[in-house]
Amino acid sequence: MCLLKAERICKRYLKRDALREVSFTASPGEIIALLGRNGAGKSTLMNILTGYLAPTSGQVRICGHDMTEDSLKARACIGYLPEQPPLYPDMTVKEYLRFCADLKPIPESKKKSETERVIAAAGLGNWANRLSGSLSKGYRQRLGLAQALLGSPPLLILDEPGSGMDPLQMVQMRDVIRQAGETSTVLLSSHMLSEFTGICSRALVLEEGQAVYDGPLSALLRKKGELRVRYQGEDASMEAVSSLPGILSVSRQGDEIVIRYRPEADCGPAVYEAFKKMKGALAEMRDEKETLEDAFLRLTGKGAPES
Amino acid sequence: MKTLFLRELHGYFATPVGYVFLAMYTLLSGIVFVFVNIGQEMSASMNVMLSAMHLPFLLIAPLLTMRLFAEERRMRTDQLLFTLPVRTGAIVFGKFLAACVMLLIAMLLTGLYTLVISRFAQISVLETLCTYLGYYLLGTSLLSVGLLISSLCFNQMTAGVLTLGINVFLYLNEHYIQPQLTNRPWNVLGGLLSALPGQDRLGDFANGILSLSDLVYYLVFSFLMLFLTTRLLEARKHQRRRAG
């Protein structure tokens, strides 16, 4: 079943195309990372998916409801954390969440327990009676997330959920999103590509309003063509490695031997066998992969040309 | 809608805005009561006080409406409101109702003057109630204009100044422009301008007559402003710009 379906979404502002024919679907249980640089169109896409903006053309369906024709039902299926948490500074954490719960399709009898659940889930227990205007940026972000989690909507759309958080808060935020992902489909955006690597199964990469990649996060990261080996033995024996087919160079960096090879050659097994035949001790061998940043630069054509 | 109404009412009292409005209204109406009702006119009619209060009210009414939508946009809380499963009309009406309740509280506070006067003179309860109803309806129609202006602005100060300008224009229209336009060739313009809300429709209310046509006029005018505000907010979905 398709929980979110975006078809050929275009958004045009006067002279600029913010989004160009972006199409994708999301199934229940997926956690999708929406990646892209600042200004790539991530927030615009999210605002369209939540009904805050109307697309210039294209269609959005949430849980089978058309966002234009049946907006109220479509919006009832969404929990949304915008880029800047939409808080009322004159309301306490509890008052704010109760206000949001009253506007969401949550049965009257469950509103109190639901409010308490999201307060606990977002780690806001000690701040429940504090004015939201007095919270730090990280806690405001948590409160925004708690608001999105209210009512356990089938689809969570989180725009830069890690913004303004310290490393510990980031770990906690990832845990909350991972837990939410057990019951909801999550679409989260980030320009800090490594923030949510561990929890997302799929990536959608936007560049200048176009989707340049939509697929598994694991397939987004290619091999770098670089083996890093920790080996204790004679360097002279490296000749056996450097003469292997596909090897470009062998050098030493600190206590590691760096072996560069043609990525299409997949030299790992052959190098391993070569080291096994040597007299020294092979302590570690790593086949390096691209970081998300490298992959992103490659996809958008902004990185160094492929070897 | 109830939730949004309560939120807005809470907003008035969680910030100085609500207190400032009530204090200003009570202070100014007190001055008017002492110097006009008792001093100048020596009249027991509340119409004297409320009529003289019309201009001060035009000047302080923007306090109630300037933040209603402009502040939501500035704080980006409009992103919450317009993505929750709530009708735009309910948001608009909830905010309008909160502003109307603030005006009601302010006018009820002036009821104290009626109690004071009733100790020294005989007052007509029906006439007083009708006068209050008339001025309340006029006030709410002006609030609906302020709400519309607020939905057009990003900054509450801009909304406040614009609403003030329009309110002053309405005053000038009623007292200076309208009399000039009567029986002139460009009477079509006069006809249009006479459709704008003013005190000229309050004569019957002041005499204790519940004028159905004027009652309907004020209600329809407010409804039209709320409808325009709703349409405008929905149309903005096509024009909004956000970074990202």
Side-chain angles (χ1 to χ4, degrees):
Chain A
M1 185 210 159
C2 185
L3 200 131
L4 161 65
K5 189 174 185 183
E7 277 183 293
R8 300 166 72 92
I9 302 293
C10 295
K11 183 69 186 175
R12 186 166 177 80
Y13 293 123
L14 293 176
K15 292 177 181 174
R16 190 177 70 89
D17 282 321
L19 289 174
R20 286 182 281 176
E21 304 232 332
V22 176
S23 299
F24 72 101
T25 58
S27 304
E30 278 190 302
I31 301 183
I32 304 170
L34 180 61
L35 306 174
R37 294 184 301 164
N38 284 332
K42 304 186 298 292
S43 295
T44 303
L45 179 60
M46 290 191 150
N47 281 327
I48 288 173
L49 296 177
T50 53
Y52 180 70
L53 276 178
T56 307
S57 64
Q59 191 186 40
V60 175
R61 292 185 81 83
I62 313 281
C63 299
H65 305 293
D66 186 283
M67 187 50 88
T68 311
E69 304 293 323
D70 206 359
S71 180
L72 284 182
K73 282 183 183 167
R75 281 186 274 160
C77 300
I78 299 173
Y80 180 37
L81 167 65
E83 192 176 3
Q84 183 181 313
L87 311 180
Y88 293 103
D90 53 32
M91 286 177 126
T92 66
V93 167
K94 211 184 260 183
E95 283 170 349
Y96 172 72
L97 290 172
R98 185 58 206 239
F99 165 72
C100 296
D102 283 339
L103 295 175
K104 291 192 173 198
I106 301 170
E108 192 60 42
S109 58
K110 288 186 179 169
K111 281 177 182 167
K112 191 166 180 276
S113 60
E114 189 59 15
T115 305
E116 283 164 3
R117 180 186 73 82
V118 295
I119 285 176
L124 288 163
N126 294 330
W127 283 264
N129 294 313
R130 283 270 292 269
L131 285 175
S132 58
S134 69
L135 296 176
S136 68
K137 199 173 178 212
Y139 277 95
R140 286 180 194 197
Q141 200 72 13
R142 285 183 189 216
L143 181 53
L145 177 69
Q147 167 274 125
L149 292 172
L150 274 170
S152 302
L155 176 64
L156 277 174
I157 297 182
L158 314 174
D159 197 352
E160 309 268 1
S163 167
M165 293 200 156
D166 62 36
L168 181 64
Q169 287 178 325
M170 270 303 298
V171 172
Q172 291 166 338
M173 174 64 93
R174 274 196 288 265
D175 286 341
V176 174
I177 294 173
R178 191 181 287 116
Q179 277 182 4
E182 290 168 10
T183 51
S184 308
T185 299
V186 183
L187 177 69
L188 59 88
S189 78
S190 178
H191 66 276
M192 292 292 289
L193 304 178
S194 53
E195 274 180 352
F196 296 101
T197 316
I199 57 170
C200 297
S201 54
R202 193 176 136 199
L204 177 69
V205 182
L206 285 186
E207 173 62 9
E208 291 178 355
Q210 279 186 306
V212 292
Y213 178 86
D214 181 6
L217 196 61
S218 54
L220 178 64
L221 305 179
R222 287 187 188 171
K223 284 182 180 175
K224 257 176 124 176
E226 185 179 294
L227 290 165
R228 287 189 170 252
V229 179
R230 284 178 61 210
Y231 171 76
Q232 288 168 344
E234 293 175 14
D235 274 8
S237 63
M238 289 305 110
E239 282 173 19
V241 176
S242 57
S243 60
L244 289 169
I247 299 294
L248 296 171
S249 67
V250 180
S251 60
R252 183 172 274 279
Q253 280 181 12
D255 61 345
E256 287 186 334
I257 298 164
V258 180
I259 303 162
R260 294 204 167 84
Y261 64 93
R262 289 195 178 85
E264 65 276 14
D266 194 16
C267 296
V271 171
Y272 178 72
E273 288 301 324
F275 272 101
K276 260 177 66 180
K277 286 174 189 165
M278 294 176 200
K279 289 180 181 172
L282 177 65
E284 186 186 356
M285 189 171 114
R286 294 194 315 272
D287 198 351
E288 294 285 303
K289 275 192 163 185
E290 286 178 320
T291 60
L292 271 169
E293 281 79 0
D294 293 332
F296 179 68
L297 291 172
R298 170 173 50 77
L299 284 165
T300 56
K302 302 289 192 292
E306 287 183 56
S307 54
Chain B
M1 197 209 58
K2 181 186 156 202
T3 307
L4 291 158
F5 158 71
L6 291 174
R7 149 72 214 146
E8 211 53 55
L9 207 57
H10 174 274
Y12 280 124
F13 291 108
T15 58
V17 175
Y19 299 103
V20 168
F21 172 79
L22 290 176
M24 294 278 281
Y25 193 94
T26 313
L27 178 72
L28 294 171
S29 60
I31 291 170
V32 166
F33 177 69
V34 170
F35 289 94
V36 181
N37 256 66
I38 299 175
Q40 189 180 311
E41 302 279 336
M42 287 199 286
S43 167
S45 168
M46 278 296 111
N47 185 42
V48 172
M49 189 274 285
L50 289 170
S51 173
M53 256 311 280
H54 183 56
L55 181 60
F57 173 69
L58 286 173
L59 302 179
I60 62 171
L63 277 174
L64 287 183
T65 56
M66 63 186 193
R67 57 187 281 283
L68 289 175
F69 279 106
E71 189 68 355
E72 300 275 4
R73 289 181 77 188
R74 192 185 68 79
M75 300 284 294
R76 300 253 177 124
T77 41
D78 61 334
Q79 275 187 299
L80 174 75
L81 291 183
F82 295 119
T83 56
L84 285 169
V86 184
R87 288 182 196 284
T88 310
I91 299 171
V92 171
F93 195 65
K95 284 176 177 289
F96 174 67
L97 208 58
C100 289
V101 166
M102 289 300 294
L103 176 61
L104 184 67
I105 295 170
M107 290 184 79
L108 285 176
L109 287 173
T110 66
L112 195 67
Y113 311 143
T114 319
L115 290 178
V116 171
I117 258 190
S118 65
R119 286 183 61 88
F120 303 102
Q122 197 160 18
I123 61 163
S124 161
V125 175
L126 184 68
E127 197 181 296
T128 304
L129 283 177
C130 279
T131 306
Y132 265 94
L133 176 66
Y135 275 96
Y136 182 68
L137 289 171
L138 172 61
T140 56
S141 64
L142 294 170
L143 293 178
S144 69
V145 176
L147 184 75
L148 175 67
I149 300 300
S150 183
S151 72
L152 290 166
C153 300
F154 189 80
N155 181 299
Q156 61 169 317
M157 284 312 293
T158 316
V161 172
L162 260 176
T163 309
L164 183 65
I166 288 173
N167 285 355
V168 170
F169 170 77
L170 290 174
Y171 184 82
L172 294 175
N173 173 50
E174 187 185 348
H175 291 88
Y176 301 101
I177 302 172
Q178 280 294 319
Q180 297 279 323
L181 290 180
T182 316
N183 300 324
R184 294 287 173 102
W186 50 83
N187 213 15
V188 178
L189 180 64
L192 281 173
L193 291 175
S194 69
L196 296 173
Q199 285 174 286
D200 50 346
R201 290 171 201 277
L202 296 174
D204 284 347
F205 286 103
N207 292 323
I209 301 164
L210 194 62
S211 164
L212 193 65
S213 64
D214 292 333
L215 184 83
V216 169
Y217 164 80
Y218 285 121
L219 292 177
V220 168
F221 183 86
S222 296
F223 175 79
L224 186 68
M225 290 298 115
L226 299 188
F227 177 74
L228 279 176
T229 308
T230 306
R231 299 301 300 165
L232 197 89
L233 290 168
E234 283 174 352
R236 194 174 287 140
K237 276 186 181 186
H238 297 272
Q239 296 161 352
R240 284 187 189 115
R241 279 173 186 239
R242 289 283 191 230

